[in-house]
């Protein structure tokens, strides 16, 4: 099993560790003697409650989540948080600051405008989102209810290398595409959220880490299911949670622990990304438009500058056993998404492929 698997560079849903898939497969019809699959269990059963509690505890430990914060397992994707964050937080002053550094933060920014006065604290649109603004470039309003940014821009291949200083204004951060890839000082944030399908689990689960004191100030028309308080009070079990995804997340967290936890993963992912950037920077043919210092370790974007050649690269890469290297339709070129589950070997092989293509063209 596993021999015929491809190196899948998809931006999401993306690769899961083979060990995790095999473990889930081995338990798929009868989870640890329960006589049923996790997919068939009541979410109120003792067996599932243990899976839930263990997964939450493992997540808290790996992310070093401090007291006073809740970890929620929600649905609706990361995109639902674009509405949920303003609905729950903006009531404080009616204002919020947004940094727009790509597609997803732009959607979040536009969505938030429905609920209050939104200040564009920074935008990298002037250079087609090829850089991350510096602290000096952030125009922060001390009266903002919160400051919002997206840690890793999945489409544009940029990643914030610092946590903005907001002088006490709570930070809301979309970490969908780089969560669990580097250490995070959770105490610097009000809310961290992430869709699971990039770096954690199958699609259908959204993990939210929320400073508890921020909940309970929602706008009056906030839907029940979009109120953080509803989910905090019922420990994410107001209704049926995404049980299967939570179970797989638990397996992924075990795998992560076996790789040295977050610090182990940080070293591995950084080495993988550096390998790719070095090959691109040293080639005649390929360039990465992202400014050094803003480059993402998760999504590496590159191109030849010639659309036909890019298409040829993508076509030949598929024949060579790599999939999903085509860049996002809004950007073009190529993109290699190299999340935690992408083996180093996959990146090494891609580097060899890029070098050979460079030499032959
Ligand atoms: C994929 C992605 C999203 C959208 O996630 P959904 O779960 O599909 O809503 C949002 N933000 C970032 C940074 C992403 O990479």
């Amino acid at each position: 099993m596993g021999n015929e698997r491809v190196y899948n560079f998809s931006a999401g849903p993306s690769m899961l560790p083979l060990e995790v898939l095999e473990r889930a497969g081995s338990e798929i019809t009868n989870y640890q003697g329960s006589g049923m699959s996790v997919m068939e269990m009541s979410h109120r059963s003792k067996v599932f409650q243990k899976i839930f509690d263990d997964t939450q505890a493992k997540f808290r430990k790996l992310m070093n989540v401090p007291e006073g914060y809740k970890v929620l397992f929600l649905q609706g994707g990361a995109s639902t948080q674009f509405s949920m964050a303003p609905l729950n937080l903006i009531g404080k002053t009616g204002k919020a600051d947004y940094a727009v550094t790509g597609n997803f933060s732009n959607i979040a920014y536009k969505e938030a405008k429905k609920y209050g006065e939104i200040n564009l604290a920074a935008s990298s649109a002037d250079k087609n989102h090829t850089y991350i603004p510096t602290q000096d470039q952030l125009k922060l309003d001390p009266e903002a209810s919160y400051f919002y940014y997206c840690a890793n821009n999945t489409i544009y291949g940029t990643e914030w290398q610092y946590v903005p200083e907001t002088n006490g204004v709570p930070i809301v951060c979309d970490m969908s595409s780089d969560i669990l890839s580097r250490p995070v000082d959770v105490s610097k944030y009000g809310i961290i959220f992430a869709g699971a399908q990039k770096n954690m689990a199958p699609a259908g689960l959204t993990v939210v880490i929320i400073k508890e004191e921020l909940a309970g100030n929602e706008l009056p028309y906030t839907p029940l299911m979009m109120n953080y308080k509803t989910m905090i009070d019922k420990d994410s079990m107001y209704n049926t949670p995404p049980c299967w995804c939570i179970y797989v997340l638990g397996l992924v967290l075990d795998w992560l622990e076996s790789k040295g936890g977050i610090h182990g993963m940080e070293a591995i992912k950084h080495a993988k990304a550096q390998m790719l950037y070095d090959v691109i920077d040293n080639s005649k043919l390929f360039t990465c438009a992202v400014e050094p210092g803003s480059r993402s370790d998760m999504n590496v974007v590159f191109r030849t500058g010639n659309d036909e050649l890019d298409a040829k690269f993508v076509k030949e890469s598929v024949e060579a056993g790599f999939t999903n290297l085509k860049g996002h339709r809004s950007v073009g070129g190529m993109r290699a998404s190299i999340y935690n589950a992408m083996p180093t070997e996959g990146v090494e092989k891609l580097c060899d492929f890029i070098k050979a293509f460079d030499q032959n063209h």
Side-chain angles (χ1 to χ4, degrees):
M1 192 180 173
N3 309 339
E4 61 299 296
R5 283 172 59 79
V6 293
Y7 291 113
N8 178 5
F9 292 90
S10 168
S14 40
M15 288 184 87
L16 285 163
L18 183 60
E19 295 95 311
V20 167
L21 296 174
E22 286 177 342
R23 168 96 184 268
S26 75
E27 296 179 333
I28 202 156
T29 57
N30 185 349
Y31 174 76
Q32 297 190 2
S34 65
M36 61 179 89
S37 173
V38 175
M39 284 187 256
E40 303 170 301
M41 272 173 201
S42 164
H43 59 295
R44 311 272 177 211
S45 65
K46 274 212 184 77
V47 188
F48 183 73
Q49 188 68 51
K50 179 156 171 29
I51 294 173
F52 184 98
D53 293 343
D54 288 352
T55 303
Q56 211 176 47
K58 282 186 267 191
F59 185 86
R60 287 193 81 98
K61 181 164 168 266
L62 272 167
M63 285 285 292
N64 205 8
V65 177
E67 289 288 303
Y69 285 78
K70 282 277 190 202
V71 173
L72 304 176
F73 293 148
L74 309 183
Q75 302 189 54
S79 302
T80 296
Q81 297 304 310
F82 300 165
S83 321
M84 216 160 148
L87 278 166
N88 284 267
L89 302 188
I90 208 163
K92 200 167 154 208
T93 63
K95 301 200 285 181
D97 284 350
Y98 275 66
V100 172
T101 54
N103 167 68
F104 292 112
S105 47
N106 192 40
I107 299 173
Y109 166 69
K110 286 192 287 188
E111 176 64 12
K113 283 183 171 183
K114 293 178 187 168
Y115 308 110
E117 194 184 313
I118 306 300
N119 166 44
L120 186 60
S123 167
S124 53
D126 57 335
K127 291 187 194 164
N128 199 27
H129 299 307
T130 53
Y131 72 102
I132 294 295
T134 59
Q135 175 76 43
D136 295 346
Q137 292 173 312
L138 304 178
K139 292 189 208 72
L140 300 174
D141 175 359
E143 281 180 19
S145 299
Y146 63 94
F147 166 78
Y148 181 103
Y149 78 107
C150 175
N152 182 74
N153 297 285
T154 320
I155 293 176
Y156 292 92
T158 60
E159 190 171 16
W160 290 65
Q161 308 298 346
Y162 69 101
V163 181
E165 176 52 66
T166 56
N167 296 309
V169 171
I171 298 177
V172 176
C173 185
D174 178 356
M175 288 194 192
S176 292
S177 50
D178 69 350
I179 195 160
L180 300 179
S181 75
R182 57 178 179 175
V184 170
D185 182 352
V186 174
S187 71
K188 290 188 171 168
Y189 294 86
I191 292 178
I192 292 168
F193 67 86
Q197 69 272 23
K198 297 353 185 321
N199 230 356
M200 292 194 283
L205 166 68
T206 309
V207 178
V208 174
I209 309 171
I210 179 171
K211 193 174 195 175
E212 258 177 279
E213 65 183 38
L214 293 176
N217 301 301
E218 70 282 354
L219 295 174
Y221 49 82
T222 301
L224 173 72
M225 288 300 295
M226 294 179 75
N227 186 341
Y228 291 121
K229 197 80 175 54
T230 306
M231 288 307 189
I232 289 173
D233 289 350
K234 297 287 185 200
D235 201 7
S236 306
M237 290 249 209
Y238 183 83
N239 67 331
T240 316
C243 303
W244 172 256
C245 299
I246 292 167
Y247 157 72
V248 178
L249 173 60
L251 300 184
V252 169
L253 296 175
D254 288 343
W255 172 83
L256 206 77
E257 185 85 68
S258 79
K259 299 281 172 193
I262 300 273
H263 288 277
M265 201 40 75
E266 183 185 36
I268 295 168
K269 66 103 192 192
H270 191 63
K272 284 191 296 187
Q274 209 45 56
M275 214 182 339
L276 257 179
Y277 285 120
D278 283 348
V279 168
I280 293 162
D281 288 343
N282 290 321
S283 72
K284 308 183 291 317
L285 202 56
F286 299 97
T287 54
C288 169
V290 177
E291 293 181 6
S294 296
R295 290 178 171 184
S296 166
D297 277 354
M298 297 278 105
N299 311 94
V300 177
V301 295
F302 56 104
R303 60 175 68 235
T304 64
N306 173 330
D307 290 348
E308 272 165 43
L309 216 46
D310 284 351
K312 186 161 189 269
F313 178 92
V314 171
K315 184 164 171 285
E316 290 182 10
S317 72
V318 173
E319 286 155 14
F322 309 105
T323 62
N324 290 310
L325 283 166
K326 194 169 192 270
H328 190 268
R329 61 190 179 280
S330 63
V331 181
M334 279 77 72
R335 170 177 56 174
S337 296
I338 48 172
Y339 302 117
N340 288 350
M342 171 59 68
T344 298
E345 192 195 22
V347 177
E348 284 167 352
K349 290 195 168 154
L350 177 60
C351 286
D352 291 342
F353 180 78
I354 294 173
K355 280 189 222 162
F357 193 93
D358 187 48
Q359 268 158 20
N360 297 336
H361 293 81

